[in-house]
Amino acid sequence: MPSPQPHDLNCLSIAELEKHAEQRMDKQTRDYYNEGADNGSTLLENCQTYSKYRIRPRVLRDISLIDTSCPLFGAKSPLPLGVAPTAMQCLAHPDGEAATARACRQAGLVMGLSSFATTTLEDVAAASGPNPRVLQLYLFEEREHSRKLIQRAKVAGYKAVFLTVDTPMLGRRNLEIRNQFKLPKPYKIANFPEDSDSAAAKTVMDGSASDTADEGEDKKSDSAPDQPVGKKRTPPSGPISFHTHAPNPTLSWEHDIGWLKDQCSPEMQVWVKGIATAEDAILAVHHRVDGIVVSNHGGRQLNGALATLDALPEVVEAVQGKIPVHIDGGIRHGTDVFKALALGADFVWIGRPVLWGLSYKGQEGVELCLRLLRDEFMLCMGLAGTVRVEEISKDYLVKVDRAGFVSRL
């Protein structure tokens, strides 16, 4: 077991970490990070679905040596847990993604970096050192922007590209609309700097270089014109912003996956992030991607979609062990990690709790977040009677239905 570290007596759980973050974040940041699409029902169900399962502990087993490690990208991770890519982390703390990278390096855990980070992928690589990292990618309609980003990631030693596939359109986020969300100065979307080919996006949401909302709306209209029915689509142009460039309604298995694999090979793997059905899992295997992340974008896209834990079993069954299956969404405790693995996930990714830790105490807060989940997961493994991650299976779970009846899986 790892050597014990002093408890933060003000923060002994992820739930308490969330409360600390709420007090430290300004309203715009808090709403941006914590909101789901529409009324937030999918966001809520991502968390609540874990309570439908109960653990069946086994006893009188020697658990004196617990090994929480698992394989990842051809090496070994000390935990089946990584930090999910989340955008604009400098909103939570001035050190942003660099602080998260240093915390991941200290814990030996993989970090995912958002394309729309407020720290360059090179600076994150420097902060990560030899620690593994992956790049989340929105494949733009104008591929040259994406190609340049991929090449930079290869040079910087990223292990994989996680292609986000659940944003052909953007989900409706009402608080983001009401707050007229903009990235405050001095922060910028660091991976798309101003150069001869494109101007820097001074604000992430509308691409405007102006301080005025009216000019921002004008810029947005210029960058993403309405497409007349029956007319040839015009790709977005102008400054790269999340609202104009991240959604890509033309993205397809046949047109894009092969191209992306060619661009990333041989240095980086290609994963698809946003799979939620058996049919798409089978297509992912057919198109020879290297792995799947079962995800619904943190409940921020299609409200009413399946919670990721509910979607996981059919994806695992469809894949039949041919490629790894990871999951994100709603994980708030080490027992949640155990339940996801028991239902067939090979690995889990943590998003919002890391942002809460970052807001709480910067790098130290992220380290605290990861330590809480590590300790809870190890305790759960031991009390359930398991000593290796590969032992965790559905035999250790039962499901409780709405009437309170328990059934074996």
Side-chain angles (χ1 to χ4, degrees):
M1 283 195 177
S3 58
Q5 294 176 271
H7 292 293
D8 182 334
L9 299 182
N10 293 314
C11 187
L12 296 173
S13 68
I14 298 299
E16 291 184 352
L17 192 62
E18 180 179 10
K19 292 178 180 177
H20 285 299
E22 286 177 355
Q23 296 169 0
R24 286 163 170 78
M25 291 178 182
D26 61 61
K27 183 180 186 302
Q28 175 181 260
T29 299
R30 184 170 60 248
D31 288 348
Y32 177 72
Y33 282 156
N34 292 343
E35 184 183 24
D38 293 302
N39 70 357
S41 63
T42 297
L43 168 63
L44 184 63
E45 287 175 7
N46 272 354
C47 299
Q48 291 181 337
T49 300
Y50 283 89
S51 66
K52 296 192 302 189
Y53 294 90
R54 301 289 189 272
I55 296 169
R56 300 179 64 245
R58 299 297 306 276
V59 297
L60 291 176
R61 293 177 166 186
D62 182 353
I63 62 154
S64 56
L65 294 174
I66 297 175
D67 180 4
T68 61
S69 67
C70 70
L72 181 71
F73 303 130
K76 183 176 283 192
S77 171
L79 285 171
L81 180 155
V83 170
T86 52
M88 298 179 286
Q89 293 185 14
C90 282
L91 290 172
H93 188 277
D95 292 342
E97 292 86 358
T100 301
R102 291 192 295 267
C104 288
R105 181 177 184 176
Q106 190 277 334
L109 298 177
V110 64
M111 175 183 173
L113 181 71
S114 169
S115 290
F116 285 90
T118 40
T119 308
T120 67
L121 64 85
E122 289 86 0
D123 286 345
V124 169
S128 300
N131 208 52
R133 51 203 172 270
V134 302
L135 175 68
Q136 175 274 334
L137 182 73
Y138 293 101
L139 185 52
F140 300 153
E141 290 182 69
E142 181 52 63
R143 284 179 173 177
E144 183 62 14
H145 295 300
S146 299
R147 188 194 65 79
K148 289 179 180 178
L149 196 64
I150 292 165
Q151 295 307 311
R152 287 169 55 195
K154 290 168 74 170
V155 171
Y158 283 69
K159 296 291 186 182
V161 158
F162 279 19
L163 175 66
T164 292
V165 295
D166 56 7
T167 54
M169 304 170 70
L170 292 184
R172 184 178 179 88
R173 304 166 195 173
N174 291 323
L175 293 179
E176 189 176 299
I177 296 170
R178 181 171 291 121
N179 292 338
Q180 300 277 297
F181 178 83
K182 285 182 170 64
L183 186 62
K185 294 180 179 179
Y187 303 123
K188 296 180 182 180
I189 300 308
N191 285 315
F192 303 106
E194 187 169 9
D195 56 30
S196 59
D197 296 322
S198 66
K202 298 299 189 296
T203 65
V204 65
M205 305 317 295
D206 64 7
S208 170
S210 169
D211 292 334
T212 66
D214 290 341
E215 290 184 10
E217 287 303 311
D218 290 342
K219 292 265 186 175
K220 180 178 178 181
S221 298
D222 291 343
S223 296
D226 292 334
Q227 303 297 326
V229 175
K231 299 290 184 180
K232 184 177 180 181
R233 176 173 174 78
T234 303
S237 60
I240 294 174
S241 74
F242 181 75
H243 272 182
T244 58
H245 286 71
N248 182 352
T250 73
L251 202 65
S252 69
W253 292 105
E254 297 79 11
H255 184 247
D256 296 295
I257 300 300
W259 178 87
L260 183 59
K261 286 178 63 66
D262 287 343
Q263 295 299 311
C264 293
S265 178
E267 292 91 344
M268 295 193 298
Q269 296 183 8
V270 172
W271 290 52
V272 284
K273 178 179 177 291
I275 300 297
T277 64
E279 294 89 339
D280 282 332
I282 291 170
L283 283 169
V285 172
H286 173 73
H287 287 275
R288 301 181 183 275
V289 302
D290 296 292
I292 284 171
V293 182
V294 177
S295 175
N296 55 30
H297 216 98
R300 293 163 69 84
Q301 279 297 102
L302 176 61
N303 198 50
L306 277 174
T308 51
L309 194 70
D310 285 335
L312 176 64
E314 71 171 85
V315 172
V316 170
E317 183 177 0
V319 167
Q320 293 289 305
K322 294 174 183 175
I323 55 176
V325 176
H326 294 189
I327 186 174
D328 67 18
I331 295 166
R332 301 293 184 265
H333 195 275
T335 54
D336 296 340
V337 179
F338 186 95
K339 291 173 183 179
L341 298 180
L343 288 174
D346 296 297
F347 196 87
V348 307
W349 294 84
I350 312 298
R352 287 183 177 93
V354 171
L355 296 173
W356 300 335
L358 187 62
S359 177
Y360 178 44
K361 287 186 178 181
Q363 176 183 343
E364 183 183 348
V366 177
E367 291 176 5
L368 171 63
C369 170
L370 299 176
R371 187 165 66 248
L372 287 170
L373 292 168
R374 178 202 68 191
D375 292 348
E376 291 166 353
F377 176 62
M378 179 175 283
L379 180 63
C380 180
M381 281 186 64
L383 293 178
T386 59
V387 295
R388 293 189 302 276
V389 168
E390 55 266 31
E391 294 175 356
I392 302 170
S393 72
K394 64 182 180 180
D395 292 339
Y396 288 90
L397 292 187
V398 293
K399 191 172 186 179
V400 182
D401 66 19
R402 291 185 177 182
F405 292 104
V406 173
S407 60
R408 292 284 299 273
L409 301 181

